[in-house]
PDB file of all heavy atoms in Angstrom:
ATOM      1  N   LEU A   1     -18.469  -1.935  11.571  1.00  0.00           N
ATOM      2  CA  LEU A   1     -17.592  -2.447  10.464  1.00  0.00           C
ATOM      3  C   LEU A   1     -17.391  -1.387   9.508  1.00  0.00           C
ATOM      4  O   LEU A   1     -18.394  -0.837   8.967  1.00  0.00           O
ATOM      5  CB  LEU A   1     -18.381  -3.642   9.777  1.00  0.00           C
ATOM      6  CG  LEU A   1     -17.673  -4.221   8.548  1.00  0.00           C
ATOM      7  CD1 LEU A   1     -16.316  -4.915   8.934  1.00  0.00           C
ATOM      8  CD2 LEU A   1     -18.602  -5.217   7.807  1.00  0.00           C
ATOM      9  N   VAL A   2     -16.095  -0.999   9.352  1.00  0.00           N
ATOM     10  CA  VAL A   2     -15.769   0.084   8.372  1.00  0.00           C
ATOM     11  C   VAL A   2     -15.343  -0.523   7.079  1.00  0.00           C
ATOM     12  O   VAL A   2     -14.360  -1.382   7.075  1.00  0.00           O
ATOM     13  CB  VAL A   2     -14.593   0.953   8.920  1.00  0.00           C
ATOM     14  CG1 VAL A   2     -14.241   2.114   7.958  1.00  0.00           C
ATOM     15  CG2 VAL A   2     -15.017   1.605  10.327  1.00  0.00           C
ATOM     16  N   VAL A   3     -15.992  -0.165   5.999  1.00  0.00           N
ATOM     17  CA  VAL A   3     -15.716  -0.816   4.656  1.00  0.00           C
ATOM     18  C   VAL A   3     -15.235   0.307   3.751  1.00  0.00           C
ATOM     19  O   VAL A   3     -15.867   1.290   3.558  1.00  0.00           O
ATOM     20  CB  VAL A   3     -16.855  -1.579   4.119  1.00  0.00           C
ATOM     21  CG1 VAL A   3     -17.126  -2.809   4.986  1.00  0.00           C
ATOM     22  CG2 VAL A   3     -18.095  -0.734   3.957  1.00  0.00           C
ATOM     23  N   PHE A   4     -14.074   0.102   3.139  1.00  0.00           N
ATOM     24  CA  PHE A   4     -13.532   1.139   2.187  1.00  0.00           C
ATOM     25  C   PHE A   4     -12.524   0.458   1.207  1.00  0.00           C
ATOM     26  O   PHE A   4     -12.194  -0.747   1.320  1.00  0.00           O
ATOM     27  CB  PHE A   4     -12.841   2.210   2.999  1.00  0.00           C
ATOM     28  CG  PHE A   4     -11.660   1.686   3.807  1.00  0.00           C
ATOM     29  CD1 PHE A   4     -10.333   2.070   3.392  1.00  0.00           C
ATOM     30  CD2 PHE A   4     -11.760   0.926   4.971  1.00  0.00           C
ATOM     31  CE1 PHE A   4      -9.288   1.638   4.166  1.00  0.00           C
ATOM     32  CE2 PHE A   4     -10.687   0.608   5.696  1.00  0.00           C
ATOM     33  CZ  PHE A   4      -9.461   0.925   5.286  1.00  0.00           C
ATOM     34  N   GLU A   5     -12.066   1.149   0.272  1.00  0.00           N
ATOM     35  CA  GLU A   5     -11.174   0.684  -0.744  1.00  0.00           C
ATOM     36  C   GLU A   5      -9.761   1.349  -0.494  1.00  0.00           C
ATOM     37  O   GLU A   5      -9.604   2.335   0.117  1.00  0.00           O
ATOM     38  CB  GLU A   5     -11.642   1.018  -2.191  1.00  0.00           C
ATOM     39  CG  GLU A   5     -12.984   0.467  -2.502  1.00  0.00           C
ATOM     40  CD  GLU A   5     -13.427   0.780  -3.912  1.00  0.00           C
ATOM     41  OE1 GLU A   5     -12.567   0.715  -4.833  1.00  0.00           O
ATOM     42  OE2 GLU A   5     -14.634   1.076  -4.056  1.00  0.00           O
ATOM     43  N   SER A   6      -8.735   0.701  -1.093  1.00  0.00           N
ATOM     44  CA  SER A   6      -7.408   1.172  -1.014  1.00  0.00           C
ATOM     45  C   SER A   6      -7.225   2.228  -2.186  1.00  0.00           C
ATOM     46  O   SER A   6      -6.949   3.400  -2.014  1.00  0.00           O
ATOM     47  CB  SER A   6      -6.341   0.134  -1.004  1.00  0.00           C
ATOM     48  OG  SER A   6      -6.436  -0.633  -2.132  1.00  0.00           O
ATOM     49  N   VAL A   7      -7.385   1.713  -3.405  1.00  0.00           N
ATOM     50  CA  VAL A   7      -7.300   2.576  -4.576  1.00  0.00           C
ATOM     51  C   VAL A   7      -8.789   2.628  -5.201  1.00  0.00           C
ATOM     52  O   VAL A   7      -9.361   1.631  -5.500  1.00  0.00           O
ATOM     53  CB  VAL A   7      -6.356   1.910  -5.695  1.00  0.00           C
ATOM     54  CG1 VAL A   7      -6.412   2.717  -6.921  1.00  0.00           C
ATOM     55  CG2 VAL A   7      -4.924   1.939  -5.133  1.00  0.00           C
ATOM     56  N   TYR A   8      -9.242   3.873  -5.323  1.00  0.00           N
ATOM     57  CA  TYR A   8     -10.505   4.101  -6.002  1.00  0.00           C
ATOM     58  C   TYR A   8     -10.298   4.222  -7.465  1.00  0.00           C
ATOM     59  O   TYR A   8      -9.613   5.096  -7.883  1.00  0.00           O
ATOM     60  CB  TYR A   8     -11.211   5.312  -5.364  1.00  0.00           C
ATOM     61  CG  TYR A   8     -11.624   5.057  -3.909  1.00  0.00           C
ATOM     62  CD1 TYR A   8     -10.762   5.240  -2.833  1.00  0.00           C
ATOM     63  CD2 TYR A   8     -12.965   4.574  -3.690  1.00  0.00           C
ATOM     64  CE1 TYR A   8     -11.164   4.935  -1.532  1.00  0.00           C
ATOM     65  CE2 TYR A   8     -13.357   4.294  -2.397  1.00  0.00           C
ATOM     66  CZ  TYR A   8     -12.481   4.456  -1.363  1.00  0.00           C
ATOM     67  OH  TYR A   8     -12.820   4.170  -0.033  1.00  0.00           O
ATOM     68  N   SER A   9     -10.990   3.316  -8.206  1.00  0.00           N
ATOM     69  CA  SER A   9     -10.586   3.111  -9.534  1.00  0.00           C
ATOM     70  C   SER A   9     -10.988   4.165 -10.583  1.00  0.00           C
ATOM     71  O   SER A   9     -10.410   4.301 -11.642  1.00  0.00           O
ATOM     72  CB  SER A   9     -11.246   1.765 -10.077  1.00  0.00           C
ATOM     73  OG  SER A   9     -12.648   1.858 -10.136  1.00  0.00           O
ATOM     74  N   MET A  10     -11.935   5.016 -10.232  1.00  0.00           N
ATOM     75  CA  MET A  10     -12.340   6.102 -11.235  1.00  0.00           C
ATOM     76  C   MET A  10     -11.438   7.352 -11.088  1.00  0.00           C
ATOM     77  O   MET A  10     -11.100   7.998 -12.123  1.00  0.00           O
ATOM     78  CB  MET A  10     -13.791   6.493 -11.018  1.00  0.00           C
ATOM     79  CG  MET A  10     -14.707   5.343 -11.416  1.00  0.00           C
ATOM     80  SD  MET A  10     -14.548   4.960 -13.146  1.00  0.00           S
ATOM     81  CE  MET A  10     -13.984   3.280 -13.059  1.00  0.00           C
ATOM     82  N   ASP A  11     -11.037   7.727  -9.872  1.00  0.00           N
ATOM     83  CA  ASP A  11     -10.138   8.952  -9.700  1.00  0.00           C
ATOM     84  C   ASP A  11      -8.767   8.505  -9.487  1.00  0.00           C
ATOM     85  O   ASP A  11      -7.805   9.389  -9.539  1.00  0.00           O
ATOM     86  CB  ASP A  11     -10.638   9.815  -8.499  1.00  0.00           C
ATOM     87  CG  ASP A  11     -12.022  10.475  -8.804  1.00  0.00           C
ATOM     88  OD1 ASP A  11     -12.358  10.574 -10.025  1.00  0.00           O
ATOM     89  OD2 ASP A  11     -12.722  10.754  -7.827  1.00  0.00           O
ATOM     90  N   GLY A  12      -8.528   7.228  -9.091  1.00  0.00           N
ATOM     91  CA  GLY A  12      -7.122   6.873  -8.839  1.00  0.00           C
ATOM     92  C   GLY A  12      -6.522   7.384  -7.561  1.00  0.00           C
ATOM     93  O   GLY A  12      -5.246   7.413  -7.397  1.00  0.00           O
ATOM     94  N   ASP A  13      -7.357   7.740  -6.610  1.00  0.00           N
ATOM     95  CA  ASP A  13      -6.853   8.162  -5.350  1.00  0.00           C
ATOM     96  C   ASP A  13      -6.848   7.068  -4.247  1.00  0.00           C
ATOM     97  O   ASP A  13      -7.341   5.988  -4.514  1.00  0.00           O
ATOM     98  CB  ASP A  13      -7.699   9.353  -4.755  1.00  0.00           C
ATOM     99  CG  ASP A  13      -9.161   8.961  -4.645  1.00  0.00           C
ATOM    100  OD1 ASP A  13      -9.687   8.090  -5.409  1.00  0.00           O
ATOM    101  OD2 ASP A  13      -9.892   9.635  -3.794  1.00  0.00           O
ATOM    102  N   ILE A  14      -6.097   7.299  -3.245  1.00  0.00           N
ATOM    103  CA  ILE A  14      -5.795   6.345  -2.223  1.00  0.00           C
ATOM    104  C   ILE A  14      -6.363   6.638  -0.834  1.00  0.00           C
ATOM    105  O   ILE A  14      -6.334   7.873  -0.476  1.00  0.00           O
ATOM    106  CB  ILE A  14      -4.235   6.110  -2.082  1.00  0.00           C
ATOM    107  CG1 ILE A  14      -3.662   5.540  -3.349  1.00  0.00           C
ATOM    108  CG2 ILE A  14      -3.956   5.086  -0.906  1.00  0.00           C
ATOM    109  CD1 ILE A  14      -2.122   5.437  -3.463  1.00  0.00           C
ATOM    110  N   ALA A  15      -6.913   5.733  -0.178  1.00  0.00           N
ATOM    111  CA  ALA A  15      -7.568   5.980   1.099  1.00  0.00           C
ATOM    112  C   ALA A  15      -6.470   6.230   2.126  1.00  0.00           C
ATOM    113  O   ALA A  15      -5.332   5.644   2.071  1.00  0.00           O
ATOM    114  CB  ALA A  15      -8.457   4.812   1.529  1.00  0.00           C
ATOM    115  N   PRO A  16      -6.736   6.955   3.212  1.00  0.00           N
ATOM    116  CA  PRO A  16      -5.834   7.157   4.335  1.00  0.00           C
ATOM    117  C   PRO A  16      -5.925   5.988   5.213  1.00  0.00           C
ATOM    118  O   PRO A  16      -6.537   5.997   6.296  1.00  0.00           O
ATOM    119  CB  PRO A  16      -6.378   8.443   4.954  1.00  0.00           C
ATOM    120  CG  PRO A  16      -7.804   8.502   4.682  1.00  0.00           C
ATOM    121  CD  PRO A  16      -7.979   7.843   3.281  1.00  0.00           C
ATOM    122  N   ILE A  17      -5.350   4.887   4.806  1.00  0.00           N
ATOM    123  CA  ILE A  17      -5.538   3.631   5.461  1.00  0.00           C
ATOM    124  C   ILE A  17      -5.121   3.570   6.931  1.00  0.00           C
ATOM    125  O   ILE A  17      -5.821   3.070   7.755  1.00  0.00           O
ATOM    126  CB  ILE A  17      -4.849   2.514   4.669  1.00  0.00           C
ATOM    127  CG1 ILE A  17      -5.326   2.394   3.218  1.00  0.00           C
ATOM    128  CG2 ILE A  17      -4.948   1.129   5.435  1.00  0.00           C
ATOM    129  CD1 ILE A  17      -4.532   1.496   2.327  1.00  0.00           C
ATOM    130  N   GLU A  18      -3.933   4.099   7.223  1.00  0.00           N
ATOM    131  CA  GLU A  18      -3.390   4.130   8.556  1.00  0.00           C
ATOM    132  C   GLU A  18      -4.287   4.857   9.541  1.00  0.00           C
ATOM    133  O   GLU A  18      -4.649   4.481  10.587  1.00  0.00           O
ATOM    134  CB  GLU A  18      -1.954   4.668   8.606  1.00  0.00           C
ATOM    135  CG  GLU A  18      -1.333   4.547   9.992  1.00  0.00           C
ATOM    136  CD  GLU A  18       0.117   4.951   9.969  1.00  0.00           C
ATOM    137  OE1 GLU A  18       0.574   5.641   9.010  1.00  0.00           O
ATOM    138  OE2 GLU A  18       0.836   4.623  10.982  1.00  0.00           O
ATOM    139  N   ALA A  19      -4.756   6.127   9.059  1.00  0.00           N
ATOM    140  CA  ALA A  19      -5.619   6.893   9.897  1.00  0.00           C
ATOM    141  C   ALA A  19      -7.009   6.218  10.095  1.00  0.00           C
ATOM    142  O   ALA A  19      -7.569   6.298  11.202  1.00  0.00           O
ATOM    143  CB  ALA A  19      -5.818   8.253   9.197  1.00  0.00           C
ATOM    144  N   ILE A  20      -7.513   5.533   9.120  1.00  0.00           N
ATOM    145  CA  ILE A  20      -8.765   4.789   9.248  1.00  0.00           C
ATOM    146  C   ILE A  20      -8.602   3.637  10.244  1.00  0.00           C
ATOM    147  O   ILE A  20      -9.410   3.368  11.111  1.00  0.00           O
ATOM    148  CB  ILE A  20      -9.236   4.259   7.932  1.00  0.00           C
ATOM    149  CG1 ILE A  20      -9.821   5.433   7.060  1.00  0.00           C
ATOM    150  CG2 ILE A  20     -10.438   3.286   8.097  1.00  0.00           C
ATOM    151  CD1 ILE A  20     -10.214   5.018   5.595  1.00  0.00           C
ATOM    152  N   ALA A  21      -7.426   2.974  10.176  1.00  0.00           N
ATOM    153  CA  ALA A  21      -7.122   1.844  11.089  1.00  0.00           C
ATOM    154  C   ALA A  21      -7.009   2.500  12.537  1.00  0.00           C
ATOM    155  O   ALA A  21      -7.549   1.853  13.478  1.00  0.00           O
ATOM    156  CB  ALA A  21      -5.870   1.176  10.704  1.00  0.00           C
ATOM    157  N   ASP A  22      -6.427   3.611  12.655  1.00  0.00           N
ATOM    158  CA  ASP A  22      -6.345   4.318  14.026  1.00  0.00           C
ATOM    159  C   ASP A  22      -7.666   4.551  14.597  1.00  0.00           C
ATOM    160  O   ASP A  22      -8.022   4.296  15.749  1.00  0.00           O
ATOM    161  CB  ASP A  22      -5.599   5.606  13.879  1.00  0.00           C
ATOM    162  CG  ASP A  22      -4.077   5.434  13.593  1.00  0.00           C
ATOM    163  OD1 ASP A  22      -3.535   4.328  13.908  1.00  0.00           O
ATOM    164  OD2 ASP A  22      -3.433   6.356  13.256  1.00  0.00           O
ATOM    165  N   LEU A  23      -8.616   5.099  13.726  1.00  0.00           N
ATOM    166  CA  LEU A  23     -10.000   5.396  14.169  1.00  0.00           C
ATOM    167  C   LEU A  23     -10.761   4.066  14.598  1.00  0.00           C
ATOM    168  O   LEU A  23     -11.504   4.045  15.521  1.00  0.00           O
ATOM    169  CB  LEU A  23     -10.773   6.147  13.136  1.00  0.00           C
ATOM    170  CG  LEU A  23     -10.291   7.625  12.906  1.00  0.00           C
ATOM    171  CD1 LEU A  23     -11.072   8.244  11.712  1.00  0.00           C
ATOM    172  CD2 LEU A  23     -10.564   8.456  14.138  1.00  0.00           C
ATOM    173  N   ALA A  24     -10.556   3.066  13.714  1.00  0.00           N
ATOM    174  CA  ALA A  24     -11.179   1.733  14.039  1.00  0.00           C
ATOM    175  C   ALA A  24     -10.769   1.177  15.380  1.00  0.00           C
ATOM    176  O   ALA A  24     -11.588   0.732  16.229  1.00  0.00           O
ATOM    177  CB  ALA A  24     -10.910   0.845  12.891  1.00  0.00           C
ATOM    178  N   GLU A  25      -9.425   1.321  15.660  1.00  0.00           N
ATOM    179  CA  GLU A  25      -8.955   0.825  16.937  1.00  0.00           C
ATOM    180  C   GLU A  25      -9.451   1.706  18.122  1.00  0.00           C
ATOM    181  O   GLU A  25      -9.895   1.173  19.137  1.00  0.00           O
ATOM    182  CB  GLU A  25      -7.436   0.804  16.918  1.00  0.00           C
ATOM    183  CG  GLU A  25      -6.920  -0.256  15.968  1.00  0.00           C
ATOM    184  CD  GLU A  25      -5.367  -0.255  15.898  1.00  0.00           C
ATOM    185  OE1 GLU A  25      -4.763   0.489  16.696  1.00  0.00           O
ATOM    186  OE2 GLU A  25      -4.824  -0.999  15.052  1.00  0.00           O
ATOM    187  N   LYS A  26      -9.525   2.918  17.869  1.00  0.00           N
ATOM    188  CA  LYS A  26      -9.956   3.913  18.930  1.00  0.00           C
ATOM    189  C   LYS A  26     -11.412   3.642  19.379  1.00  0.00           C
ATOM    190  O   LYS A  26     -11.824   3.673  20.542  1.00  0.00           O
ATOM    191  CB  LYS A  26      -9.872   5.376  18.449  1.00  0.00           C
ATOM    192  CG  LYS A  26     -10.252   6.378  19.443  1.00  0.00           C
ATOM    193  CD  LYS A  26      -9.985   7.792  18.909  1.00  0.00           C
ATOM    194  CE  LYS A  26     -10.412   8.890  19.872  1.00  0.00           C
ATOM    195  NZ  LYS A  26     -10.181  10.270  19.285  1.00  0.00           N
ATOM    196  N   TYR A  27     -12.281   3.296  18.337  1.00  0.00           N
ATOM    197  CA  TYR A  27     -13.695   3.126  18.579  1.00  0.00           C
ATOM    198  C   TYR A  27     -14.225   1.654  18.529  1.00  0.00           C
ATOM    199  O   TYR A  27     -15.373   1.462  18.487  1.00  0.00           O
ATOM    200  CB  TYR A  27     -14.495   4.028  17.675  1.00  0.00           C
ATOM    201  CG  TYR A  27     -14.312   5.545  17.846  1.00  0.00           C
ATOM    202  CD1 TYR A  27     -13.398   6.205  17.054  1.00  0.00           C
ATOM    203  CD2 TYR A  27     -15.019   6.164  18.839  1.00  0.00           C
ATOM    204  CE1 TYR A  27     -13.197   7.582  17.318  1.00  0.00           C
ATOM    205  CE2 TYR A  27     -14.830   7.437  19.083  1.00  0.00           C
ATOM    206  CZ  TYR A  27     -13.920   8.229  18.256  1.00  0.00           C
ATOM    207  OH  TYR A  27     -13.729   9.626  18.515  1.00  0.00           O
ATOM    208  N   GLY A  28     -13.273   0.806  18.455  1.00  0.00           N
ATOM    209  CA  GLY A  28     -13.611  -0.653  18.544  1.00  0.00           C
ATOM    210  C   GLY A  28     -14.325  -1.143  17.318  1.00  0.00           C
ATOM    211  O   GLY A  28     -15.306  -1.898  17.472  1.00  0.00           O
ATOM    212  N   ALA A  29     -13.873  -0.752  16.125  1.00  0.00           N
ATOM    213  CA  ALA A  29     -14.575  -1.258  14.842  1.00  0.00           C
ATOM    214  C   ALA A  29     -13.700  -2.274  14.159  1.00  0.00           C
ATOM    215  O   ALA A  29     -12.417  -2.166  14.177  1.00  0.00           O
ATOM    216  CB  ALA A  29     -14.818  -0.044  13.946  1.00  0.00           C
ATOM    217  N   MET A  30     -14.285  -3.165  13.394  1.00  0.00           N
ATOM    218  CA  MET A  30     -13.593  -3.990  12.440  1.00  0.00           C
ATOM    219  C   MET A  30     -13.340  -3.249  11.145  1.00  0.00           C
ATOM    220  O   MET A  30     -14.146  -2.316  10.826  1.00  0.00           O
ATOM    221  CB  MET A  30     -14.460  -5.263  12.080  1.00  0.00           C
ATOM    222  CG  MET A  30     -14.358  -6.363  13.148  1.00  0.00           C
ATOM    223  SD  MET A  30     -15.180  -7.833  12.485  1.00  0.00           S
ATOM    224  CE  MET A  30     -14.073  -8.390  11.161  1.00  0.00           C
ATOM    225  N   THR A  31     -12.341  -3.611  10.419  1.00  0.00           N
ATOM    226  CA  THR A  31     -12.025  -3.020   9.126  1.00  0.00           C
ATOM    227  C   THR A  31     -12.005  -4.039   7.964  1.00  0.00           C
ATOM    228  O   THR A  31     -11.542  -5.107   8.124  1.00  0.00           O
ATOM    229  CB  THR A  31     -10.665  -2.266   9.138  1.00  0.00           C
ATOM    230  OG1 THR A  31      -9.676  -3.178   9.698  1.00  0.00           O
ATOM    231  CG2 THR A  31     -10.737  -0.995  10.035  1.00  0.00           C
ATOM    232  N   TYR A  32     -12.546  -3.511   6.865  1.00  0.00           N
ATOM    233  CA  TYR A  32     -12.637  -4.375   5.604  1.00  0.00           C
ATOM    234  C   TYR A  32     -12.174  -3.480   4.483  1.00  0.00           C
ATOM    235  O   TYR A  32     -12.757  -2.445   4.231  1.00  0.00           O
ATOM    236  CB  TYR A  32     -14.105  -4.858   5.497  1.00  0.00           C
ATOM    237  CG  TYR A  32     -14.342  -5.735   4.273  1.00  0.00           C
ATOM    238  CD1 TYR A  32     -14.585  -7.064   4.397  1.00  0.00           C
ATOM    239  CD2 TYR A  32     -14.302  -5.193   2.914  1.00  0.00           C
ATOM    240  CE1 TYR A  32     -14.871  -7.887   3.278  1.00  0.00           C
ATOM    241  CE2 TYR A  32     -14.579  -5.987   1.833  1.00  0.00           C
ATOM    242  CZ  TYR A  32     -14.873  -7.328   2.016  1.00  0.00           C
ATOM    243  OH  TYR A  32     -15.107  -8.205   0.961  1.00  0.00           O
ATOM    244  N   ILE A  33     -11.120  -3.901   3.755  1.00  0.00           N
ATOM    245  CA  ILE A  33     -10.636  -3.078   2.692  1.00  0.00           C
ATOM    246  C   ILE A  33     -10.615  -3.873   1.390  1.00  0.00           C
ATOM    247  O   ILE A  33     -10.288  -4.995   1.359  1.00  0.00           O
ATOM    248  CB  ILE A  33      -9.162  -2.570   3.057  1.00  0.00           C
ATOM    249  CG1 ILE A  33      -8.756  -1.496   2.021  1.00  0.00           C
ATOM    250  CG2 ILE A  33      -8.199  -3.786   2.961  1.00  0.00           C
ATOM    251  CD1 ILE A  33      -7.401  -0.796   2.397  1.00  0.00           C
ATOM    252  N   ASP A  34     -11.062  -3.171   0.332  1.00  0.00           N
ATOM    253  CA  ASP A  34     -11.028  -3.685  -1.000  1.00  0.00           C
ATOM    254  C   ASP A  34      -9.784  -3.308  -1.718  1.00  0.00           C
ATOM    255  O   ASP A  34      -9.532  -2.021  -1.861  1.00  0.00           O
ATOM    256  CB  ASP A  34     -12.274  -3.181  -1.752  1.00  0.00           C
ATOM    257  CG  ASP A  34     -12.387  -3.543  -3.169  1.00  0.00           C
ATOM    258  OD1 ASP A  34     -11.311  -3.571  -3.849  1.00  0.00           O
ATOM    259  OD2 ASP A  34     -13.462  -3.881  -3.703  1.00  0.00           O
ATOM    260  N   GLU A  35      -8.891  -4.206  -2.065  1.00  0.00           N
ATOM    261  CA  GLU A  35      -7.643  -3.867  -2.678  1.00  0.00           C
ATOM    262  C   GLU A  35      -7.534  -4.328  -4.107  1.00  0.00           C
ATOM    263  O   GLU A  35      -6.516  -4.540  -4.737  1.00  0.00           O
ATOM    264  CB  GLU A  35      -6.497  -4.612  -1.865  1.00  0.00           C
ATOM    265  CG  GLU A  35      -6.103  -3.972  -0.541  1.00  0.00           C
ATOM    266  CD  GLU A  35      -4.765  -3.204  -0.631  1.00  0.00           C
ATOM    267  OE1 GLU A  35      -4.662  -2.413  -1.613  1.00  0.00           O
ATOM    268  OE2 GLU A  35      -3.991  -3.318   0.301  1.00  0.00           O
ATOM    269  N   VAL A  36      -8.712  -4.470  -4.740  1.00  0.00           N
ATOM    270  CA  VAL A  36      -8.692  -5.006  -6.087  1.00  0.00           C
ATOM    271  C   VAL A  36      -7.836  -4.301  -7.188  1.00  0.00           C
ATOM    272  O   VAL A  36      -7.329  -4.833  -8.035  1.00  0.00           O
ATOM    273  CB  VAL A  36     -10.178  -5.244  -6.629  1.00  0.00           C
ATOM    274  CG1 VAL A  36     -11.033  -6.229  -5.762  1.00  0.00           C
ATOM    275  CG2 VAL A  36     -10.878  -3.877  -6.816  1.00  0.00           C
ATOM    276  N   HIS A  37      -7.824  -2.967  -6.999  1.00  0.00           N
ATOM    277  CA  HIS A  37      -7.021  -2.221  -7.954  1.00  0.00           C
ATOM    278  C   HIS A  37      -5.590  -1.932  -7.529  1.00  0.00           C
ATOM    279  O   HIS A  37      -4.915  -1.063  -8.041  1.00  0.00           O
ATOM    280  CB  HIS A  37      -7.699  -0.838  -8.301  1.00  0.00           C
ATOM    281  CG  HIS A  37      -9.015  -1.037  -9.031  1.00  0.00           C
ATOM    282  ND1 HIS A  37      -9.070  -1.237 -10.383  1.00  0.00           N
ATOM    283  CD2 HIS A  37     -10.290  -1.006  -8.586  1.00  0.00           C
ATOM    284  CE1 HIS A  37     -10.300  -1.341 -10.768  1.00  0.00           C
ATOM    285  NE2 HIS A  37     -11.052  -1.257  -9.733  1.00  0.00           N
TER     286      HIS A  37
END
């Protein structure tokens, strides 16, 4: 299970969502993203 955020609230940067999804599919992982910000 890969857990990460889309927007990190302290620095205001954005996760490489598509690339993380690619890796999750490649290695058979579930993905969980926090989009609160």
